[in-house]
Each structure stands twice: as structure tokens, then as C-alpha cells.
Amino acid sequence: VSMVEFGGGLVQPGESLRLSCETHGLNFSAVTMTWARQAPGKGREWVAAIVSTGTIAYGDSVTGRFTISRDNTNNILYLQMNNLKTEDTGLYRCAAADDDENAWAGQGTLVIVSP
């Protein structure tokens, strides 16, 4: 299994970014996919999740600004991030988990939001 994130970068507050997570080797449509982030010097924070049925959940800090989606044809997970804030800075990683409690994660893509 491989999972690779793309789309991070340096943006100003109020701008947008779209992250992608390309996966290979997963039964993609059957797994729960999540995004999490870790800011410098802080613990990991769960951002969003989308289960195989399409049910979606967001962390309180990103609700209304971020949108998670999945492309089950091309095995890609997305995170559309709008109205970015400096506190959104961090390493964003995608992860997958199946019903047998197997889990996988990518290496992450860095998002920096700075004036």
C-alpha cells in the first residue's frame, strides 16, 4: 500500500488550497479515509473523515471551511481548504483504515499559512 499527499504550500490567510492523497494497493472504496494535521510543537489533530458509505465528519476548527471528498474510481482523497487561517499551519497526512483494524498513512504535505 502506498499513500502520497500533494498540494501543500505557502499561502496567505484567507486563501485556499486543495490537498490530494493518491493511494495504491488499497481496497479504496471500502475503507474509511481521514485527514489529520500536526502543527509545529503540537500534537496531532484530526481534521476530517469520510467513510465508505459517504458519511462525513469534520473537526470543530475546520467545519464550514474545509471539505473532504473521495474519488473511488481513481482512488484519491481530497481536502479542499478555504479561508485558511494561520492556525491551519501544519503537516497534513491522509490515513486509511478498514474494518479489520488495518491502518495506513502517508508521509504528509506541509501547509503554511502566513501573512
Side-chain angles (χ1 to χ4, degrees):
V1 174
S2 70
M3 301 174 67
V4 182
E5 299 92 340
F6 299 94
L10 173 63
V11 296
Q12 295 186 341
E15 294 185 339
S16 299
L17 279 175
R18 188 192 196 200
L19 305 184
S20 302
C21 171
E22 296 185 4
T23 73
H24 299 275
L26 278 176
N27 185 5
F28 185 82
S29 62
V31 297
T32 294
M33 298 296 299
T34 63
W35 286 100
R37 66 188 182 188
Q38 187 164 15
K42 296 186 177 180
R44 189 170 59 188
E45 177 188 11
W46 172 77
V47 173
I50 181 168
V51 302
S52 58
T53 58
T55 299
I56 289 172
Y58 296 99
D60 289 342
S61 62
V62 305
T63 297
R65 300 186 298 121
F66 290 11
T67 303
I68 189 172
S69 61
R70 63 193 299 162
D71 178 348
N72 288 341
T73 298
N74 296 300
N75 300 337
I76 301 174
L77 177 73
Y78 297 101
L79 185 69
Q80 177 67 42
M81 306 186 296
N82 297 330
N83 190 22
L84 283 160
K85 303 177 181 180
T86 55
E87 53 263 42
D88 294 318
T89 293
L91 183 68
Y92 285 70
R93 301 176 72 190
C94 62
D98 66 16
D99 291 342
D100 295 323
E101 300 185 349
N102 298 305
W104 306 267
Q107 295 299 306
T109 185
L110 184 61
V111 173
I112 300 174
V113 185
S114 180

